[in-house]
Amino acid sequence: MNYFSSDFKLGILGGGQLGKMLLAETRKFDIQTYILDPSDEAPCKIGCNKFFQGDLMDFQSVYDFGKQVDVLTFEIELVNLDALEKLESEGKKVYPSPKTLKLIQNKGVQKDFYVKNNIPTARFEKFSSLQNLKSAINIQQSTIHFPFVWKCTEFGYDGNGVKIIRSIEDVDNLPNVECIAEEMVDFKNELAVIVCRNPSGEIKTYPVVEMEFHPEANQVEYVICPARIDENVAQTAQEIALKVSEKFHHVGLLAVEMFQTKNDEIIVNEIAPRPHNSGHYSIEASYTSQFENHLRAILNLPLGNTASKVVGIMVNLVGAEGFSGNVVYENIEKIMAMEGVTPHIYGKKQTRPFRKMGHVTIVNEDINEARRIAEIVKNTIRVISDTN
């Protein structure tokens, strides 16, 4: 099948903002795009050739959708693996492969994979339920002590399903699900490296980025490229990211989130097998955006240049606390008057506290000036509702 034939169909499971930004890159090529998403108001709906409403965890919905396209990819990991495996067994190209996704979907399985493959990661223990976790704490059987990081093994996203636990009272407020207790890492930076790989084996990495997190919501507030770290640390981070990619045999994009410890060791936190928040800066700042390179990779085309043209900083736009309802972007005209500032509005109709609603990219020749402007942007624009 010629990927530049007007008959070629690309299917994307998930219709959120990542899919919407991926669709923008498909306009460079002569391909049709199909989207499956549970919401009739999905951001992707306005930009695809065909939109299908359906449950991403439902076998039949995913299988029937996949049969209609030539290549299938996804913008969210929470999809029906059995359907993807059946489609792949019938010759359908699915990237990343369900074999890769099966090792990533469950955070407990993902952590076990790191240990098995000698990939540095924080110490952890798995528990089948909240009760088992509490029992281990009460009889002091666990090797993980307060404070620790609690993570549900499935269905967590954007800071949901992750909590810092400081006391037994904090444990009482957790949901009764399979989980992991992870040792708190004494780190000085949170970093990420995006790896891009096509089926032919061509592989490239984007520069190491630095992430600054909101202290309460556990969401990224700023992504800074390049990371303000020593060159040797950056090289180690990229080498580890390449090793992770090699062990997972992924195709497409793989975002590897890491900690830089106080001793400048690099340990892997989590990964995401798709375009990622840590790569949004690349739309304006890189020669080839992460979205175009994901597309190139899954279509087995030559990968684009991942180098940066200029310093890039991304500011996440999330719903302001105290506001829920029809979204309003207050002061957007003020940030658009600033040099090197580009907003991306995702098209979600309803806002709520800390919901991701968009992002803003700041580009500049000077990293300190870019960071200064990013702070002004963060303090100027507000994502509120028409009523509170």
Side-chain angles (χ1 to χ4, degrees):
M1 172 69 73
N2 185 337
Y3 289 149
F4 296 100
S5 162
S6 295
D7 293 330
F8 181 82
K9 300 176 183 68
L10 172 66
I12 304 172
L13 294 168
Q17 64 264 20
L18 299 177
K20 183 184 178 187
M21 288 182 272
L22 184 61
L23 286 175
E25 297 295 343
T26 66
R27 294 293 175 259
K28 296 177 180 177
F29 307 105
D30 187 19
I31 58 178
Q32 297 181 48
T33 51
Y34 287 25
I35 299 289
L36 178 68
D37 191 87
S39 173
D40 190 48
E41 294 185 345
C44 275
K45 190 173 182 180
I46 64 168
C48 60
N49 292 91
K50 289 189 178 182
F51 179 84
F52 300 85
Q53 188 173 0
D55 184 354
L56 298 176
M57 293 300 292
D58 177 67
F59 176 92
Q60 204 61 45
S61 296
V62 172
Y63 179 74
D64 291 344
F65 175 79
K67 292 292 284 185
Q68 301 179 66
V69 302
D70 297 296
V71 169
L72 190 62
T73 191
F74 47 84
E75 58 115 57
I76 183 170
E77 294 94 310
L78 302 178
V79 295
N80 189 290
L81 283 176
D82 292 336
L84 295 186
E85 288 178 335
K86 183 170 175 59
L87 286 164
E88 190 176 61
S89 72
E90 294 173 354
K92 192 68 64 180
K93 290 182 171 63
V94 182
Y95 297 126
S97 165
K99 297 182 186 69
T100 299
L101 189 54
K102 184 174 284 188
L103 296 169
I104 295 172
Q105 230 179 33
N106 182 293
K107 288 180 181 177
V109 174
Q110 188 183 137
K111 292 282 285 188
D112 284 337
F113 187 84
Y114 299 149
V115 173
K116 179 181 177 182
N117 289 279
N118 297 313
I119 294 166
T121 193
R123 287 197 311 119
F124 70 99
E125 287 187 39
K126 288 195 301 183
F127 298 94
S128 60
S129 68
L130 181 63
Q131 189 57 50
N132 286 345
L133 170 60
K134 290 171 72 173
S135 297
I137 292 171
N138 288 332
I139 61 176
Q140 299 182 337
Q141 274 193 345
S142 175
T143 60
I144 308 297
H145 306 292
F146 297 120
F148 63 84
V149 180
W150 171 91
K151 296 179 180 179
C152 63
T153 57
E154 295 184 314
F155 309 117
Y157 67 96
D158 290 351
N160 292 293
V162 180
K163 301 283 185 186
I164 295 176
I165 306 302
R166 305 186 186 279
S167 67
I168 194 66
E169 288 75 21
D170 291 341
V171 176
D172 289 337
N173 297 322
L174 297 172
N176 186 27
V177 295
E178 184 184 73
C179 60
I180 59 175
E182 191 174 84
E183 184 178 60
M184 287 275 286
V185 176
D186 188 18
F187 64 87
K188 57 182 171 184
N189 281 310
E190 294 197 53
L191 309 173
V193 176
I194 290 179
V195 185
C196 190
R197 181 175 178 270
N198 67 19
S200 295
E202 184 185 8
I203 190 165
K204 293 187 177 183
T205 64
Y206 280 84
V208 184
V209 301
E210 174 187 348
M211 300 182 291
E212 295 182 19
F213 279 73
H214 188 285
E216 296 172 25
N218 195 37
Q219 288 180 326
V220 177
E221 282 193 301
Y222 303 96
V223 171
I224 301 167
C225 184
R228 297 165 295 183
I229 57 176
D230 183 82
E231 181 60 35
N232 290 331
V233 175
Q235 183 176 342
T236 299
Q238 290 193 313
E239 288 171 355
I240 290 175
L242 286 169
K243 180 179 179 180
V244 172
S245 169
E246 174 195 345
K247 296 299 183 181
F248 276 105
H249 302 293
H250 94 285
V251 169
L253 289 188
L254 187 74
V256 185
E257 297 182 72
M258 308 167 173
F259 296 118
Q260 177 190 359
T261 71
K262 299 291 186 182
N263 298 322
D264 287 338
E265 296 175 21
I266 297 294
I267 64 175
V268 174
N269 180 23
E270 296 180 358
I271 61 174
R274 51 169 170 75
H276 191 255
N277 193 253
S278 63
H280 289 351
Y281 76 91
S282 65
I283 299 174
E284 278 77 34
S286 304
Y287 285 99
T288 311
S289 78
Q290 66 163 342
F291 298 99
E292 180 177 337
N293 258 337
H294 182 71
L295 193 62
R296 286 173 176 241
I298 63 175
L299 300 183
N300 205 21
L301 296 169
L303 301 179
N305 186 352
T306 55
S308 296
K309 297 179 285 187
V310 66
V311 167
I313 296 183
M314 184 213 69
V315 178
N316 266 330
L317 296 182
V318 301
E321 292 183 84
F323 292 90
S324 295
N326 297 326
V327 66
V328 174
Y329 296 90
E330 186 179 67
N331 297 328
I332 191 170
E333 73 284 355
K334 292 182 180 179
I335 68 164
M336 291 181 72
M338 300 175 188
E339 189 73 25
V341 173
T342 305
H344 292 258
I345 304 302
Y346 296 157
K348 299 173 183 177
K349 308 304 181 189
Q350 299 288 308
T351 185
R352 60 177 180 267
F354 300 117
R355 187 185 191 194
K356 283 186 184 176
M357 302 298 290
H359 74 264
V360 181
T361 307
I362 297 93
V363 295
N364 198 285
E365 295 293 335
D366 181 80
I367 194 164
N368 295 320
E369 179 64 8
R371 182 62 181 81
R372 186 188 73 82
I373 296 170
E375 192 81 33
I376 295 172
V377 167
K378 184 73 176 178
N379 293 329
T380 300
I381 188 169
R382 287 207 309 158
V383 183
I384 60 174
S385 60
D386 52 12
T387 58
N388 64 355

